[in-house]
Amino acid sequence: MDASDFRKRGKEMVDYIADYMETISNRRVTPDVEPGYLAEKLPKRAPKKGEEFNDIMIDVDKYIIPGITHWQHPHFHAFFPAGNSFPSILGDMLSDAIGCVGFSWAASPACTELEIVVLDWFGKMLGLPNEFLHEGGTGGGVIQGSASECVLVTLLAARHTTLKDLKGKFPFVDDGILLPKLVAYSSKLAHSCVEKAGMIGLVKMRQLDVDEHFSLRGHVLERAIEEDRRLGLIPFYVCATLGTTACCSFDHLQELSEVCAKESVWLHVDAAYAGNALICAENQHYIRGIENATSFNCNPNKWMLVNFDCSLMWVRNKELLTSSMAVDPLYLQHKHDDKAEDFRHWGIPLSRRFRSLKIWFVIRTYGVEGLQHYIRKHIRLAKLFETYVKNDARFEVMGKVTMGLVCFRLKGPNSLTQKLCRMINESARLYTVPALINENYVIRFCVCAQDAMESDIEYAWRIISQEASELLDQRASIESNIEAEKNDRPEEVDNNGEFDDVFPDFDDEIIFDQQRSNLQRARIRRNLFMRMVSDPKCYNPKVLRALNTDKPRHKSESDGEK
């Protein structure tokens, strides 16, 4: 493809993208396919000769689009938003065209320096203290691929710093003796990436209980640290969550930060979704205590109209990262230039994309006020949905609705809400995902679409209400038949005179498993697709129970706890 062909096809692709975005509401929100569908339709080997672009696009419409879950659909209410906008797409197009590999300042000065600028812009928008900004002199920010990378990088940096300090005190003690003594902490509602970071970092990870508002409190952390110090362990890292995946709850940052400051423990704040809402002044109370935190991250690719991948991470003291990461010798040639400050190694990969362009495009296109309006609209729509739920006596809201997420359930056994979630998704009119909150099975309803409107919320509630009515009618009918059978054959009633719920019991193994039904295998495979959620910890009861660390710990137990 030469430049002339690219101009032609590029314009066609822009039209294709615009048409897709404008007509997305006419499509099913989830695809009607089964696992393995695409391999059966595409050739087993790559083509030997190049094909016409028209033929490729025909196959896109024929095979690819039918297998897409449309995250930008107005009836997509699963997971969290997948940020996207035309300015972001254009910024990514330009970044892809430039094609630079930003591993050092010399590799592409604008790539390095624009990232510094937009991270300071964004940090000020969020209300971060000056110590976290490049212009503050001690801290700074960098773009990572995901919040999982931010957690891993900060944990590894905290581990390195702690081991370095310990080696200073115990120079003749091997790292292999010190490493098993390190212990990190988070709430049991923290994303599973925190637990995974502990596994990769070869350190113990304690998941602590939350209060009635699903928040990790300072006294719980303090008690755990004191307990572990008595066991001879070394607390070194805490990950606080602002906006948990399951229910968007907030750990008590002020209390946690005071404990971490007193105990000299690295405090990382994971605000992947909810952190974006800090650009609105009325939400900045959630980061009281941030001045004592060591690092902070949020994802514009979730709730700030910036497409994936784009996770922003700031540190209060850049030396904590640069001392634990290799320094690029190419950068040393430019060290005399303050603007050439290099932070390419504040992460796992060496090579990095020019991701700051799309942030720059989005901020300049919408302005701070436009982005604030977007966040506030989503919160207002979530509040509207909460009102619908609360006005229906059949339902209850779980947790406090503060952002764009509402967790709700049908009153009664978990099996009712479980079946309702399945019915909603199988209707293909909405897409939602479940979560478990303190053994309560809930449906997560998130406002995701960029142009979401009140009519979308009204439509969603109408579908949910209709499915709930059908479900409860089925239940009442079955109960009526059971009651009739009980009256006909009273000798079969158990000693307590009680019957099990008319629907299958809540399954501890696989929430959507239908092994108790006589459905065809294809439908079971379909359900396996439909039950996917971003964090398995949200809906796996056994995992949640295993993370309960409320019982006293003993020396013999500490080494095996992860």
Side-chain angles (χ1 to χ4, degrees):
M1 181 180 289
D2 58 21
S4 177
D5 289 333
F6 176 73
R7 291 179 190 276
K8 179 176 182 296
R9 301 305 182 183
K11 292 173 183 177
E12 291 174 358
M13 183 60 75
V14 168
D15 286 339
Y16 185 93
I17 292 171
D19 289 343
Y20 169 78
M21 300 283 279
E22 287 183 340
T23 62
I24 194 171
S25 61
N26 298 330
R27 303 175 184 270
R28 285 174 53 114
V29 62
T30 53
D32 186 18
V33 298
E34 296 178 10
Y37 89 98
L38 191 58
E40 297 174 356
K41 297 180 179 297
L42 297 183
K44 301 301 180 184
R45 295 180 181 275
K48 290 185 177 181
K49 295 183 178 180
E51 301 180 58
E52 292 294 324
F53 192 78
N54 282 339
D55 294 335
I56 297 173
M57 290 305 298
I58 288 173
D59 284 350
V60 167
D61 284 327
K62 191 174 180 181
Y63 302 128
I64 305 302
I65 296 298
I68 295 294
T69 297
H70 301 287
W71 284 63
Q72 311 304 323
H73 199 290
H75 303 152
F76 181 98
H77 300 290
F79 315 117
F80 283 121
N84 204 7
S85 64
F86 291 128
S88 180
I89 294 171
L90 292 173
D92 243 359
M93 287 174 61
L94 181 56
S95 172
D96 290 341
I98 292 172
C100 65
V101 180
F103 56 80
S104 70
W105 182 90
S108 188
C111 182
T112 295
E113 297 193 21
L114 184 61
E115 191 159 338
I116 292 172
V117 170
V118 298
L119 265 294
D120 276 3
W121 280 10
F122 218 103
K124 292 174 184 177
M125 291 163 59
L126 299 177
L128 294 181
N130 199 50
E131 291 80 9
F132 282 87
L133 308 181
H134 291 276
E135 68 178 33
T138 59
V142 66
I143 303 176
Q144 307 282 7
S146 67
S148 300
E149 290 180 46
C150 297
V151 171
L152 176 59
V153 167
T154 54
L155 182 138
L156 294 178
R159 187 190 71 172
H160 173 86
T161 301
T162 303
L163 289 175
K164 184 178 178 181
D165 291 343
L166 290 172
K167 290 293 286 185
K169 298 176 183 177
F170 311 104
F172 302 109
V173 179
D174 189 81
D175 286 358
I177 302 296
L178 298 173
L179 186 59
K181 294 183 177 295
L182 300 185
V183 59
Y185 308 86
S186 72
S187 88
K188 70 178 185 179
L189 291 180
H191 195 275
S192 58
C193 72
V194 183
E195 193 176 1
K196 181 168 65 176
M199 294 172 63
I200 296 173
L202 302 175
V203 297
K204 296 176 178 64
M205 178 64 67
R206 285 194 65 181
Q207 309 269 347
L208 305 179
D209 278 332
V210 295
D211 66 10
E212 68 275 13
H213 302 296
F214 315 114
S215 174
L216 177 60
R217 304 300 298 270
H219 69 274
V220 176
L221 175 63
E222 189 170 33
R223 184 175 67 237
I225 290 176
E226 291 173 354
E227 185 179 273
D228 285 334
R229 289 198 190 281
R230 287 197 299 269
L231 293 173
L233 300 177
I234 304 170
F236 80 104
Y237 180 85
V238 173
C239 183
T241 304
L242 301 184
T244 59
T245 301
C247 59
C248 203
S249 58
F250 292 76
D251 291 341
H252 202 295
L253 183 58
Q254 179 75 62
E255 295 178 357
L256 299 178
S257 68
E258 291 172 359
V259 174
C260 290
K262 183 180 72 172
E263 299 289 346
S264 299
V265 172
W266 184 303
L267 174 59
H268 177 67
V269 181
D270 177 16
Y273 164 70
N276 293 279
L278 298 176
I279 67 169
C280 301
E282 64 269 23
N283 298 321
Q284 292 186 357
H285 64 278
Y286 288 113
I287 56 168
R288 288 173 186 158
I290 190 67
E291 65 276 2
N292 290 323
T294 317
S295 51
F296 175 93
N297 77 266
C298 76
N299 292 10
N301 62 239
K302 277 190 170 70
W303 202 14
M304 196 65 79
L305 301 175
V306 177
N307 56 358
F308 188 82
D309 58 345
C310 186
S311 183
L312 310 186
M313 184 187 82
W314 291 265
V315 292
R316 185 158 49 91
N317 184 352
K318 69 186 73 172
E319 295 302 323
L320 294 174
L321 282 178
T322 55
S323 65
S324 60
M325 306 290 179
V327 177
D328 190 336
L330 288 177
Y331 160 61
L332 296 178
Q333 301 172 15
H334 302 274
K335 195 172 181 179
H336 65 279
D337 185 350
D338 290 340
K339 292 184 179 180
E341 177 185 8
D342 192 278
F343 48 92
R344 296 299 152 196
H345 300 281
W346 291 11
I348 303 303
L350 171 64
S351 302
R352 305 170 72 255
R353 298 195 303 115
F354 197 173
R355 288 176 290 206
S356 58
L357 264 180
K358 58 187 176 185
I359 305 175
W360 194 54
F361 273 44
V362 167
I363 294 177
R364 292 194 62 184
T365 300
Y366 291 95
V368 176
E369 291 182 353
L371 295 172
Q372 289 172 333
H373 173 76
Y374 169 73
I375 294 291
R376 287 171 176 144
K377 182 180 75 170
H378 274 205
I379 294 175
R380 178 176 55 82
L381 293 176
K383 289 286 189 180
L384 173 62
F385 183 82
E386 179 191 26
T387 301
Y388 288 136
V389 177
K390 287 185 172 181
N391 288 340
D392 192 320
R394 302 173 298 176
F395 292 89
E396 60 181 331
V397 174
M398 298 293 292
K400 187 176 181 181
V401 178
T402 55
M403 299 291 152
L405 176 71
V406 182
C407 293
F408 69 102
R409 67 190 302 270
L410 276 169
K411 294 177 181 177
N414 277 329
S415 56
L416 271 179
T417 306
Q418 171 191 351
K419 189 168 180 65
L420 176 60
C421 187
R422 182 163 64 238
M423 290 172 64
I424 292 169
N425 288 337
E426 288 181 347
S427 76
R429 294 181 290 179
L430 297 177
Y431 186 26
T432 62
V433 290
L436 272 178
I437 306 175
N438 288 353
E439 300 301 320
N440 288 306
Y441 186 94
V442 302
I443 298 174
R444 297 172 70 263
F445 182 92
C446 191
V447 181
C448 295
Q450 175 185 348
D451 298 318
M453 299 181 292
E454 289 187 6
S455 59
D456 298 320
I457 305 303
E458 293 167 358
Y459 170 85
W461 179 248
R462 186 166 63 251
I463 299 304
I464 292 169
S465 182
Q466 290 172 359
E467 297 291 348
S469 296
E470 180 181 338
L471 172 64
L472 294 176
D473 287 346
Q474 291 176 11
R475 186 173 190 248
S477 176
I478 296 172
E479 284 178 336
S480 177
N481 292 334
I482 291 175
E483 186 67 24
E485 291 182 11
K486 182 180 71 172
N487 293 332
D488 291 340
R489 292 176 291 179
E491 68 279 1
E492 295 186 11
V493 180
D494 62 21
N495 293 333
N496 295 322
E498 296 177 353
F499 283 88
D500 289 336
D501 189 66
V502 298
F503 293 120
D505 292 337
F506 184 61
D507 192 336
D508 281 358
E509 293 292 340
I510 303 178
I511 279 178
F512 284 80
D513 195 5
Q514 301 200 27
Q515 71 271 24
R516 296 185 181 93
S517 305
N518 293 322
L519 300 178
Q520 297 177 354
R521 184 166 181 225
R523 188 175 181 186
I524 295 177
R525 293 175 69 194
R526 168 90 177 136
N527 278 329
L528 291 174
F529 168 76
M530 292 301 298
R531 76 166 186 264
M532 299 301 179
V533 70
S534 63
D535 188 0
K537 201 172 78 174
C538 286
Y539 63 86
N540 190 319
K542 288 191 174 181
V543 171
L544 290 177
R545 281 197 290 271
L547 295 178
N548 189 339
T549 58
D550 201 32
K551 63 180 182 178
R553 300 170 68 231
H554 304 285
K555 183 72 173 179
S556 60
E557 297 176 348
S558 61
D559 289 343
E561 189 178 40
K562 283 284 185 179

